[in-house]
Amino acid sequence: MNIPFLDSWRRRRGGERTTVLVSAFDRDPEGAAGLLAECALLRARAQEAGVLLDDTPRSLEALDQLPPRWREDPEELPWVGNDAGLYLGTVIVRTVPGAVWDVLPGGRAVVRLASGREIDVVGAGLDWAITGSPQLSQTYGEAAEGR
């Protein structure tokens, strides 16, 4: 994701990309969560298929039903998977009580449930994009149940 103001901030402070992400969450968690929720490519593919991504569990079920045309494009596949994971995380954080975004050492964004369990949502999104399993709605259901 190219965000010019973050690039200039990083240059001024000599920080790594990880520092920027952690700092963004520390200073403005809602703004950082908004950036993670953009998922532009996934939203475009969903819109082309007539699916509205409204940040609800129902939209995850609709994504699970999409024909996986992105698998035909090896360059697009990882981007759709990354977006699917960030979107899954967005739905979890917005609808599961106590769920929050967290940044692990190395800069990996995960969702932490109230129970303390971490969900590698980007990994789950990539698995879904590549194989279709586990379904996004299944991963959401497990998070909602606290598993």
Side-chain angles (χ1 to χ4, degrees):
M1 180 181 308
N2 182 16
I3 305 168
F5 76 87
L6 290 180
D7 289 338
S8 63
W9 183 89
R10 187 172 51 243
R11 275 194 302 275
R12 282 195 312 266
R13 286 164 180 76
E16 298 288 322
R17 193 168 201 78
T18 302
T19 304
V20 172
L21 187 56
V22 170
S23 178
F25 271 97
D26 290 344
R27 288 181 302 149
D28 182 10
E30 290 295 317
L35 290 175
L36 293 176
E38 285 183 4
C39 314
L41 181 59
L42 181 70
R43 289 182 188 275
R45 295 298 172 262
Q47 184 177 13
E48 290 168 4
V51 173
L52 173 66
L53 298 185
D54 58 359
D55 301 345
T56 64
R58 186 178 10 227
S59 65
L60 294 172
E61 293 171 5
L63 282 174
D64 287 337
Q65 302 307 310
L66 288 180
R69 292 191 178 97
W70 53 85
R71 292 185 192 147
E72 298 166 7
D73 184 346
E75 290 183 21
E76 186 172 295
L77 178 63
W79 294 104
V80 169
N82 187 70
D83 276 8
L86 294 175
Y87 183 72
L88 170 63
T90 296
V91 174
I92 293 170
V93 167
R94 291 185 177 169
T95 62
V96 175
V100 296
W101 284 107
D102 195 10
V103 181
L104 299 178
R108 181 175 224 146
V110 298
V111 170
R112 185 177 311 280
L113 300 177
S115 67
R117 177 177 168 234
E118 293 175 355
I119 301 174
D120 177 7
V121 289
V122 172
L126 288 168
D127 289 346
W128 171 82
I130 293 168
T131 67
S133 179
Q135 291 187 332
L136 298 174
S137 58
Q138 176 186 347
T139 303
Y140 172 84
E142 291 171 1
E145 292 175 2
R147 293 192 278 148

